[in-house]
Amino acid sequence: MITSIKNEKVKHWKKLHKRKERVKTQTFLIEGFHLVEAAFKSNWTIKELIIQEGVSLPEWARDIPTVVVKNSVFAVVSQTDTPQGIAAIVTMKQLNSSRQRPVLLIDAIQDPGNLGTIIRTADAAGFSEVILGEGTVDVFNDKVVRATQGSLFHIPVRHADLLAEIPLLKEAGFGIWVTALTDADNYTEVKPVTKTALIVGNEGNGVRSDIMDIADKRVTIPIYGQAESLNVSVAAGILMYYLRS
């Protein structure tokens, strides 16, 4: 049992709270029974389990290398308000995309909760891939991972240059939809097709103009009340399900 927060393993685990260390080691930290089991069932490599003293190890995890730690140590490693006493070090993995269904492109979304919710919705809506553009929060940020509720392990997600990706999508036969507040068509008036790439943008500024200029269609969601706009994760959800209708 590890009893000291000065232990070298503990120091390494804490470093994974930062993107730099995650990129360097190609690993990330997840917490909670649901997420850890989701990673295991989705065949992502779990390098190590971290179990708080007194917490029972799940039956399916018996063959995974496991380290037991004192409560005080787990509290330092954990990034949640009410930790469940189980965490895991997981190896990053790039899932393959068939691109037979719609693709979601994300331009500079910075709120981890929004990004995680959007990835979860893209998974639920049966999208084939999520591509994260410049300025978007790291997909392996702990708050993003938690907000995906395990969908991160099911749907391909990757960071890329959207200005380079959009021409490739067009060559592959995709129509490019971008969300906009002005000079845009009501989304319900545009017929969805199977091979559509949807672009949603930053919470405050929307999609960058240089990206918007190379889209095929600008779409908007009408506001019937007095709200200025919709939360980006809500707007993305509405449009993703419309594209699958």
Side-chain angles (χ1 to χ4, degrees):
M1 181 185 293
I2 294 178
T3 60
S4 171
I5 62 173
K6 295 181 180 180
N7 182 280
E8 288 303 314
K9 271 187 174 292
V10 178
K11 290 179 181 179
H12 167 65
W13 297 334
K14 284 182 63 181
K15 286 182 180 179
L16 292 176
H17 294 176
K18 302 294 185 181
R19 181 175 187 171
K20 180 179 179 180
E21 187 69 13
R22 294 195 293 268
V23 172
K24 176 183 174 183
T25 63
Q26 287 295 289
T27 60
F28 61 105
L29 181 70
I30 62 175
E31 287 185 61
F33 285 97
H34 173 71
L35 274 180
V36 175
E37 186 171 5
F40 174 79
K41 288 185 174 179
S42 300
N43 295 317
W44 283 55
T45 300
I46 297 177
K47 296 188 69 175
E48 197 167 43
L49 282 177
I50 306 163
I51 298 291
Q52 181 177 307
E53 61 177 330
V55 174
S56 298
L57 186 68
E59 189 62 38
W60 52 263
R62 299 295 177 185
D63 295 330
I64 300 173
T66 300
V67 180
V68 179
V69 302
K70 294 282 288 185
N71 295 352
S72 56
V73 173
F74 197 90
V76 168
V77 176
S78 173
Q79 293 179 275
T80 61
D81 294 331
T82 54
Q84 297 178 16
I86 183 171
I89 309 302
V90 183
T91 300
M92 293 180 185
K93 177 168 142 180
Q94 182 58 60
L95 301 178
N96 294 322
S97 170
S98 64
R99 288 199 169 177
Q100 297 302 308
R101 302 184 304 279
V103 172
L104 181 67
L105 287 77
I106 293 177
D107 178 34
I109 284 180
Q110 297 172 341
D111 182 270
N114 280 340
L115 179 59
T117 299
I118 289 170
I119 291 171
R120 181 181 180 183
T121 307
D123 179 25
F127 269 52
S128 61
E129 184 177 18
V130 179
I131 304 174
L132 311 179
E134 181 181 349
T136 300
V137 62
D138 179 21
V139 67
F140 296 111
N141 172 291
D142 69 294
K143 291 180 181 177
V144 175
V145 174
R146 288 201 301 274
T148 71
Q149 286 291 300
S151 286
L152 172 64
F153 305 121
H154 309 150
I155 183 171
V157 182
R158 61 188 174 90
H159 289 267
D161 179 355
L162 298 189
L163 289 174
E165 289 293 326
I166 290 169
L168 296 176
L169 286 164
K170 287 186 176 185
E171 288 177 12
F174 280 80
I176 312 297
W177 286 23
V178 62
T179 54
L181 295 177
T182 59
D183 300 321
D185 295 319
N186 184 322
Y187 78 96
T188 61
E189 297 173 358
V190 184
K191 184 177 176 60
V193 295
T194 301
K195 296 190 76 170
T196 300
L198 171 66
I199 310 171
V200 296
N202 177 268
E203 291 88 346
N205 300 317
V207 177
R208 300 197 325 258
S209 59
D210 54 351
I211 292 175
M212 197 172 291
D213 288 344
I214 59 175
D216 299 314
K217 181 68 67 175
R218 297 186 183 196
V219 295
T220 190
I221 301 172
I223 301 292
Y224 299 111
Q226 297 183 50
E228 291 184 1
S229 63
L230 287 170
N231 172 277
V232 65
S233 64
V234 173
I238 291 169
L239 292 172
M240 282 191 280
Y241 268 87
Y242 180 70
L243 285 173
R244 296 291 285 153
S245 63

